[in-house]
Amino acid sequence: MPHSSDLQALAGLLQIPQRVVVLTGAGVSHESGIPTFRGSGGLWRHYRPEDLATPQAFAREPELVWEWYHWRRTLIAQARPNPAHHALVALEARSPDFTLLTQNVDGLHALAGSRRLIEIHGSIWEVRCTVCQAVTVERRLDLPPLPRCPSCGGLLRPNVVWFGEALDAERLVAASEAAQHAQVMLVVGTSAVVQPAASFALWAKRAGACLAEFNLEPTPLTRHCDFAFHGQAGELLPAFLASLASRL
Ligand code: BV8
Ligand code: ZN
């Protein structure tokens, strides 16, 4: 479908309060210095996320998978929210009915101040015991190569959703509910290949939402969008908020 790249027109839509849902991916953290999963300069050595972010990889080589997460945790610990994260906090502040769905596990949306936030793939700052299932926040960067549960000695894993694993049922229901009731849905910095996250945008569209993509490059979602803005989220989103403010 032909889509508009008229930021003013999209801003016009939000003059009356709407149910706004935003779906973000790794692209929104890219300008904070965190590599994306599939873009150029991809995530780590010659591995694909689908090779490492799986229960099978963890069962086979827990040291390698933890080495990847130790590397990412150290990188993310030095990262700060960028203008894209801050623009989404400002959008939440002016939207009475707002939900931010993120595929990112880096915690930067929460750090920026987003509150109506669902981290659908979990958090790199939480660990879960593979034996007693205890979940704890763990921010230390000097963990042993294979961290152990303090209460039962079981092997700890990052408390994130790996490929082949189901999303947390509560979060999945909340996310799909929000998507299906959205009147405007923004999709920011995602290649829209990972499921079921990418489908949230299609469910919103099918339920009548206006769909707007903010991404560096076209994605499989672009053709379903009413608006598509191609560029850096850290520039596009503040410009979008500025056009909203100029209409007050
Ligand atoms: C499940 C957490 C079933 C770990 C991640 C159809 C239906 C259901 C499932 C499937 C299906 N088809 C395939 C599947 C299986 C699989 C899947 O989706 N595979 C893909 C590869 C095809 N899905 C699953 O396994 C999911 N589970 O379905 O379970 C089930 C049900 C019941 C019982 C048992 C099982 C679980 C998927 C979750 C996987 N976990 N992460 C971790 O992070 O360590 S996914 C991983 O990819 C990250 O979370 C990441 O966020 C996510 C998506 O990637 P993106 O965020 O989009 O990042 P990417 O690099 O790809 O793209 C960045 C984009 O930003 C690019 O377009 C780039 O151009 C743009 N960009 C870059 N810089 C900027 C920018 N844009 C703007 N500004 C910039 N500056
Ligand atoms: Zn335990």
Side-chain angles (χ1 to χ4, degrees):
M1 72 186 280
H3 48 258
S4 155
S5 53
D6 180 347
L7 213 55
Q8 291 295 337
L10 178 61
L13 270 183
L14 289 185
Q15 286 322 296
I16 39 167
Q18 306 263 7
R19 288 190 299 275
V20 178
V21 174
V22 182
L23 171 69
T24 63
V28 88
S29 294
H30 200 193
E31 291 157 83
S32 296
I34 299 171
T36 60
F37 284 83
R38 295 169 188 83
S40 55
L43 208 52
W44 192 54
R45 297 188 192 159
H46 54 287
Y47 294 100
R48 293 179 322 130
E50 292 80 14
D51 301 334
L52 291 173
T54 71
Q56 294 77 8
F58 189 69
R60 204 176 43 246
E61 296 182 270
E63 300 86 348
L64 176 68
V65 175
W66 259 117
E67 189 184 350
W68 182 44
Y69 280 93
H70 289 315
W71 174 76
R72 287 174 67 195
R73 287 161 56 97
T74 304
L75 198 64
I76 292 167
Q78 294 150 24
R80 288 292 165 269
N82 68 61
H85 295 104
H86 294 304
L88 291 175
V89 174
L91 182 60
E92 175 175 348
R94 69 178 315 282
S95 309
D97 188 330
F98 180 90
T99 309
L100 172 53
L101 311 175
T102 189
Q103 299 172 83
N104 301 341
V105 298
D106 59 31
L108 289 184
H109 283 303
L111 192 56
S114 291
R115 289 290 165 268
R116 299 294 316 272
L117 171 66
I118 302 177
E119 293 177 318
I120 59 172
H121 291 159
S123 168
I124 204 164
W125 297 118
E126 287 179 354
V127 290
R128 186 170 83 235
C129 175
T130 56
V131 174
C132 72
Q133 304 305 316
V135 173
T136 47
V137 174
E138 176 54 82
R139 290 187 173 274
R140 283 174 299 173
L141 300 177
D142 57 352
L143 295 176
L146 286 179
R148 291 271 163 195
C149 174
S151 44
C152 80
L155 179 58
L156 296 177
R157 59 163 280 178
N159 194 31
V160 299
V161 181
W162 281 332
F163 289 102
E165 293 185 322
L167 276 64
D168 168 82
E170 225 174 280
R171 294 184 191 189
L172 179 59
V173 167
S176 37
E177 286 280 302
Q180 293 176 62
H181 291 90
Q183 291 167 303
V184 177
M185 182 158 185
L186 311 183
V187 182
V188 187
T190 181
S191 58
V193 295
V194 169
Q195 296 295 345
S199 299
F200 295 154
L202 295 179
W203 297 342
K205 181 74 193 154
R206 199 170 301 145
C210 162
L211 197 55
E213 182 176 61
F214 294 78
N215 204 61
L216 210 49
E217 62 204 354
T219 72
L221 270 187
T222 307
R223 65 191 178 87
H224 301 282
C225 288
D226 301 284
F227 294 89
F229 307 101
H230 293 144
Q232 307 261 3
E235 287 160 22
L236 289 171
L237 287 180
F240 177 53
L241 267 289
S243 56
L244 282 177
S246 67
R247 290 168 159 275
L248 283 181

